[in-house]
Amino acid sequence: MDNNVRLDSAPFSDELNLLLSIMREDQIEITNIDWDKFLALGRHHRVYSILFNHLRKTDEVGIPLKVKQALKKDFESNTFNMLRLSAQMEELCKQFSETDIRAIVLKGPVLAADLYGDVSLRTSRDLDILIPIHDLNKAEELLKGYGYVKEEEYKTILNDWKWRHHHVTYIHEITRVTLEVHWRLGPGPGKEPAFDELWERKRISTITSNPVYYLGREDLFLFLAAHGARHGWSRLRWLADIDRISRQNLDFPKLYKLLKEFRLLHIGAQALILAKQLLHTPLTMDLESITASKNAKQLANDALFYIGQMINLHTPPLPEHVANYHKRHLFSLMPTPHKILFVMSFFYPYPEDAETLPLPKPLQFLYFPLRPVLWAWRKTWKRNLSQGEV
């Protein structure tokens, strides 16, 4: 890959190239820009605050006043939202602490302050807080009393929720703030740092008067790289985070050890390759050393499918070609042991098996040998239904 990154032999749109140039703080060239599309891209990639912050410090000729005003309005709205989230985050962490629940904030205002030096320069839709899995019930009771309502109950069987999922979502009934309570950094099956390890390496944010804890720098890199990869880097905000953290004083031996231990070297390399190619992130010799693998370069090239289009993976149903591509890409991101676990997980009972053949709890172990039969039954039934035979 070179600095003229291409998607399927076709260049990025002029609007996307302009957006990337502004994010890099390059000297920009403006030719045939569809400004409505440019604004749509800024909002889709959640980088309008970064764009506005740069443009307000310069006198860029050729950018219409209405575009600057629109970015300013988005920036001001985000600033208000981040201040609101900061207050809610501090209060929640205080409540967790008083209830003896250890809590680590994963993103939100603390991430904006740490990476950008200003909570207004990064967007956040919600709050993400990691707690030990054994404290989930206690946390739910606390949140109910504090006005939070669970968005939905997971269907589960034989405790599969513990590894098939990694967070549960709550919405405050008055403020409408969304809170994701995590018990894992990402969905399973797969290996990741234990909560106690993360707690030992945690940092304390300086943006609040009460203690708010967040991930250690190297753990944060792992989390950001894995999270961005899992979402195809479909929002440049996540890549901007990698750009920012890569410019910090990362402890490379510690980072390398973590990436290797949790089989994420190729994921970290993918993130660094994309950041270097698209945002011109300067890499140290150490960081550069892990980007040489052909697999990582291919994964980075594959991510251009998402970046070159305005693909929103959070708005189902996805177009069939996007859904199929994403399934293949997610599988390609998995290291071999993870792929084996993933394939084996299909043999673990699903809640649909209990709906197909209800069994009393003492006999639910029978779903393991029955799963292939129940799966085939459902497939046959659905096929006959679609053909009008049922």
Side-chain angles (χ1 to χ4, degrees):
M1 295 172 62
D2 57 26
N3 284 337
N4 296 312
V5 179
R6 293 180 178 274
L7 173 66
D8 295 335
S9 301
F12 286 161
S13 68
D14 291 337
E15 292 77 16
L16 182 54
N17 280 323
L18 174 61
L19 183 146
L20 287 167
S21 293
I22 296 174
M23 290 181 68
R24 294 191 296 257
E25 301 190 356
D26 288 347
Q27 188 72 33
I28 65 174
E29 295 182 10
I30 299 173
T31 54
N32 302 318
I33 297 298
D34 180 332
W35 292 108
D36 289 335
K37 183 178 179 181
F38 173 80
L39 285 172
L41 278 169
R43 289 164 180 157
H44 166 76
H45 287 292
R46 305 292 195 266
V47 294
Y48 43 80
S49 290
I50 295 174
L51 300 177
F52 173 74
N53 186 54
H54 176 59
L55 293 177
R56 71 175 172 176
K57 296 186 296 185
T58 62
D59 186 23
E60 295 290 358
V61 177
I63 297 182
L65 179 60
K66 69 173 185 177
V67 173
K68 295 181 179 179
Q69 290 175 335
L71 290 173
K72 181 181 180 181
K73 185 176 180 180
D74 290 344
F75 172 83
E76 291 174 344
S77 176
N78 179 62
T79 300
F80 175 79
N81 181 59
M82 292 298 282
L83 291 174
R84 183 178 66 129
L85 288 177
S86 295
Q88 197 76 184
M89 173 192 69
E90 182 176 10
E91 182 60 30
L92 282 170
C93 289
K94 180 183 176 184
Q95 295 292 332
F96 281 138
S97 178
E98 291 177 352
T99 320
D100 293 324
I101 299 175
R102 293 176 296 167
I104 299 175
V105 177
L106 297 177
K107 295 185 287 184
V110 293
L111 184 60
D114 182 65
L115 298 185
Y116 299 84
D118 187 335
V119 297
S120 66
L121 295 183
R122 188 187 188 277
T123 65
S124 288
R125 183 184 67 89
D126 52 24
L127 293 171
D128 297 77
I129 297 179
L130 178 73
I131 68 172
I133 190 169
H134 57 76
D135 283 331
L136 283 175
N137 290 335
K138 190 195 297 187
E140 181 163 339
E141 288 304 310
L142 183 153
L143 292 170
K144 283 180 181 178
Y146 200 56
Y148 279 89
V149 178
K150 189 182 290 188
E151 188 176 52
E152 65 175 327
E153 293 283 351
Y154 289 130
K155 293 180 179 179
T156 184
I157 186 171
L158 298 172
N159 289 324
D160 68 335
W161 63 271
K162 292 182 178 181
W163 56 271
R164 290 199 201 275
H165 303 284
H166 64 292
H167 72 259
V168 61
T169 303
Y170 297 87
I171 300 176
H172 196 279
E173 53 190 356
I174 297 176
T175 66
R176 308 310 296 170
V177 167
T178 300
L179 167 67
E180 291 185 357
V181 176
H182 294 242
W183 58 90
R184 290 177 53 94
L185 294 177
K191 190 179 180 184
E192 66 173 43
F195 182 89
D196 287 344
E197 297 175 52
L198 298 173
W199 185 255
E200 288 176 7
R201 298 191 290 262
K202 69 184 183 303
R203 293 179 285 171
I204 302 178
S205 175
T206 59
I207 67 170
T208 56
S209 54
N210 291 303
V212 171
Y213 302 110
Y214 68 117
L215 291 171
R217 187 168 285 115
E218 292 70 34
D219 290 316
L220 182 58
F221 183 95
L222 256 70
F223 171 68
L224 293 175
H227 180 270
R230 193 167 67 249
H231 292 86
W233 301 103
S234 53
R235 298 200 196 282
L236 287 170
R237 173 186 61 186
W238 299 321
L239 204 57
D241 292 342
I242 296 297
D243 171 70
R244 294 288 178 147
I245 197 170
S246 298
R247 295 170 187 264
Q248 294 185 345
N249 187 27
L250 287 164
D251 183 332
F252 182 75
K254 183 189 291 186
L255 176 64
Y256 184 84
K257 181 181 177 182
L258 289 171
L259 288 170
K260 190 171 183 180
E261 179 181 356
F262 297 104
R263 303 186 180 101
L264 290 172
L265 270 172
H266 62 300
I267 298 296
Q270 182 205 35
L272 292 171
I273 291 169
L274 287 168
K276 179 181 178 181
Q277 295 297 327
L278 298 184
L279 300 180
H280 297 179
T281 304
L283 301 183
T284 63
M285 289 182 64
D286 285 332
L287 291 177
E288 189 81 52
S289 69
I290 67 173
T291 65
S293 86
K294 290 183 179 180
N295 181 39
K297 291 178 181 178
Q298 183 59 55
L299 291 175
N301 192 58
D302 291 345
L304 300 181
F305 171 84
Y306 305 91
I307 298 171
Q309 308 174 70
M310 285 200 294
I311 293 176
N312 188 351
L313 297 172
H314 295 88
T315 308
L318 296 173
E320 186 176 359
H321 76 285
V322 173
N324 291 336
Y325 186 95
H326 191 54
K327 286 179 184 177
R328 292 194 300 271
H329 186 61
L330 285 177
F331 191 72
S332 70
L333 291 171
M334 300 177 190
T336 300
H338 191 167
K339 287 177 178 174
I340 294 171
L341 282 174
F342 179 73
V343 172
M344 289 176 62
S345 72
F346 288 110
F347 295 94
Y348 196 98
Y350 278 75
E352 291 85 348
D353 296 325
E355 293 173 359
T356 305
L357 180 63
L359 291 174
K361 198 166 185 179
L363 296 180
Q364 287 186 352
F365 69 91
L366 292 174
Y367 286 126
F368 283 97
L370 287 172
R371 170 142 177 76
V373 177
L374 296 173
W375 177 84
W377 170 263
R378 285 195 299 274
K379 285 290 183 182
T380 302
W381 187 83
K382 287 180 181 178
R383 183 172 62 250
N384 291 340
L385 182 63
S386 65
Q387 295 173 352
E389 297 177 12
V390 176

